[in-house]
Amino acid sequence: MTAKKLITALSLATCLSLALAGCGDSRAGGDTAGGAAPRGGTMGADGVFRVNADGCPPDASEPLPDGAPIKVGVSMALSGPLAAVGAPNIDGLRAVFAAANDEGGIDGHPIELVVKDDAYDPARATANAQAFTGQDKVFATLLQISNASIIATRPIYEAACVPQLGTISQHKEAADPERHAWTTVTIPPAVTEAEAAAEYLAKVHPQGAVMEFRQQVTLGEDWAQVFPGAAQRRGLRLLEVQHIAPTETNLDAPAAKLTASGADAVMAEVQGPMCVSLLQSLAKAGFTGSVVLTSACNGAKQFMQPLGKAADGVAALFFQKDPSTPSARTDPGMRRYFDDLAKYQPKADPTVTMTLNGYEAGNLLVHNLRAAARMEGGLTRVNLMNAAWNAQVERTTFLQPKQSMNGPKDPYIINDVTVQTYDAATGDWKPTGVVYTYRAE
């Protein structure tokens, strides 16, 4: 059914003109308009990717004073159309940081979370970035959502040499270490999911007819660039795309058109509540073909269980385990997650996929902070970025737990996407044997 990716985007709203002199802090050092801001990085002969720190403010290479907190800024939607996404992510972050602090923090430094609401608005995300690099003096940021907000805020973080880590976007521009090495991405690109979906559909419907339901948001735009080619290379026949308005709630008309078309399958390039609306409309229209959902709709509890038998056999894209299934509670790889949530965030719902998403983003940051602290020069922002780009980690809540990054050779921490189908009788997912692994070009 769907993995866990939440990405999406408003229309590519106006990005504020970013005069770094207006960021209000000496960290901004340099004129971005003149191209002075450090941006890219290079691969060394030793196989280690290093960010370009030339022109960075001096404190980017200075270790934190003994005992000083590691401030981590998070700009996320706590209001607006994605408010339901923001709060669970924050719950997960609070749990993993509290667990790390209970273990003594990072080399004696406690982690301190600084949260700001951006309402999924690039202009507000930009204002938050200016505050983070100005008066808040954060050490790093996490989980900026949507390509529009990432692009709007990236010059601010680059000029200040503040790591912009674990951003959430499937757009190909989001992970670009050779030009924008101060930004990393926490999910695989759209092409990985699209290839996996096409592989699955070609397996169950050789030479079959597929209709795309494409929500008119960034998610849909990203899929429009990659799914048609992936499908056609596998001999699938694509029917007329059904374009869905971002806030549409009734999909009965396109569902009826799909059923009348004789399509074998539908590729649902949608997110959020529209996942449930789509499945309800397909059931009403009597569609009996295959349904594939993106990873933006992959929680069994949130999207499948409310539909009962109507969700049986629906396929979704995954890279992380679903914490809402019965098998998750007995999975040894999920035990620490559930234990940490129960201990440090007892009021949070650990079965929500976005809670796990926040927890794992924080878990990866803790890993990279510890690696940076062991480097020559100690815990600096430059070392943190270098640690992030050369990470090797095992995260057992993922379907492929062994993960790594290595600059342009391996720009994504998650490279594998699998297809699973929902079993309404057990309330759990079943593997289909389809796995696609992303390889950098």
Side-chain angles (χ1 to χ4, degrees):
M1 228 166 158
T2 69
K4 162 168 26 28
K5 228 169 276 114
L6 134 77
I7 330 164
T8 58
L10 302 169
S11 59
L12 204 40
T14 0
C15 299
L16 295 179
S17 165
L18 302 174
L20 273 265
C23 290
D25 186 78
S26 60
R27 282 189 180 188
D31 175 13
T32 45
R39 295 173 185 269
T42 55
M43 184 69 72
D46 57 359
V48 175
F49 183 81
R50 296 176 178 86
V51 297
N52 176 13
D54 293 343
C56 278
D59 64 355
S61 300
E62 295 172 357
L64 281 177
D66 290 348
I70 301 169
K71 292 186 177 183
V72 178
V74 177
S75 175
M76 187 167 278
L78 302 177
S79 61
L82 282 184
V85 165
N89 270 283
I90 300 302
D91 285 338
L93 286 171
R94 292 193 191 284
V96 74
F97 290 163
N101 287 341
D102 257 9
E103 296 173 354
I106 308 298
D107 202 23
H109 300 277
I111 303 173
E112 179 182 313
L113 193 57
V114 183
V115 179
K116 296 184 188 294
D117 180 17
D118 62 22
Y120 199 52
D121 177 0
R124 290 184 62 174
T126 298
N128 291 344
Q130 291 170 331
F132 284 151
T133 58
Q135 65 264 28
D136 293 326
K137 293 182 169 56
V138 301
F139 193 79
T141 67
L142 266 183
L143 291 177
Q144 182 66 68
I145 297 176
S146 97
N147 202 52
S149 292
I150 294 166
I151 290 175
T153 57
R154 188 166 57 192
I156 297 174
Y157 296 123
E158 287 177 344
C161 296
V162 170
Q164 185 182 34
L165 301 173
T167 61
I168 299 178
S169 172
Q170 282 189 299
H171 198 280
K172 61 183 180 181
E173 291 182 0
D176 187 359
E178 291 179 303
R179 293 196 306 153
H180 298 289
W182 289 82
T183 300
T184 66
V185 177
T186 194
I187 57 175
V191 64
T192 311
E193 289 202 14
E195 293 285 350
E199 186 72 20
Y200 169 74
L201 288 170
K203 177 181 179 180
V204 296
H205 299 290
Q207 311 297 315
V210 179
M211 182 176 285
E212 296 171 83
F213 276 37
R214 183 175 297 154
Q215 192 174 5
Q216 294 171 305
V217 293
T218 297
L219 176 69
E221 294 169 2
D222 291 343
W223 273 73
Q225 296 179 20
V226 292
F227 181 73
Q232 290 165 356
R233 284 194 300 275
R234 291 169 173 83
L236 296 170
R237 181 165 55 93
L238 297 179
L239 305 181
E240 179 186 2
V241 176
Q242 300 300 299
H243 296 280
I244 313 296
T247 57
E248 183 61 68
T249 57
N250 188 325
L251 277 68
D252 289 354
K257 190 171 185 177
L258 167 72
T259 302
S261 74
D264 298 298
V266 57
M267 182 62 239
E269 299 155 17
V270 302
Q271 63 188 12
M274 195 174 288
C275 301
V276 176
S277 299
L278 171 62
L279 293 175
Q280 290 173 332
S281 293
L282 293 179
K284 187 186 298 185
F287 181 68
T288 57
S290 298
V291 181
V292 180
L293 299 174
T294 72
S295 65
C297 309
N298 71 343
K301 178 180 178 180
Q302 183 177 0
F303 301 111
M304 300 298 108
Q305 292 174 10
L307 298 168
K309 292 182 179 179
D312 192 56
V314 170
L317 299 161
F318 284 87
F319 46 85
Q320 193 166 30
K321 298 172 184 176
D322 182 352
S324 70
T325 60
S327 61
R329 282 291 182 179
T330 58
D331 185 335
M334 297 288 290
R335 184 172 300 136
R336 176 158 186 176
Y337 164 71
F338 285 119
D339 288 349
D340 282 352
L341 262 292
K343 181 175 182 179
Y344 298 108
Q345 289 291 113
K347 295 182 179 180
D349 185 352
T351 66
V352 174
T353 55
M354 290 301 102
T355 307
L356 179 58
N357 183 73
Y359 180 89
E360 280 300 346
N363 187 25
L364 182 59
L365 176 60
V366 168
H367 170 88
N368 290 332
L369 285 167
R370 287 173 173 158
R374 294 192 295 268
M375 291 181 178
E376 182 179 354
L379 188 57
T380 70
R381 301 200 302 275
V382 172
N383 277 350
L384 175 58
M385 272 316 322
N386 289 335
W389 278 118
N390 298 279
Q392 294 188 26
V393 64
E394 184 167 352
R395 296 193 288 173
T396 59
T397 67
F398 287 83
L399 296 172
Q400 174 51 261
K402 292 185 178 181
Q403 300 171 354
S404 64
M405 291 176 70
N406 188 216
K409 291 184 177 179
D410 187 7
Y412 295 96
I413 191 70
I414 301 168
N415 292 309
D416 299 282
V417 169
T418 184
V419 182
Q420 301 187 72
T421 55
Y422 184 68
D423 182 351
T426 63
D428 220 321
W429 299 97
K430 298 189 299 184
T432 65
V434 174
V435 180
Y436 184 83
T437 300
Y438 174 84
R439 302 295 183 195
E441 296 177 359

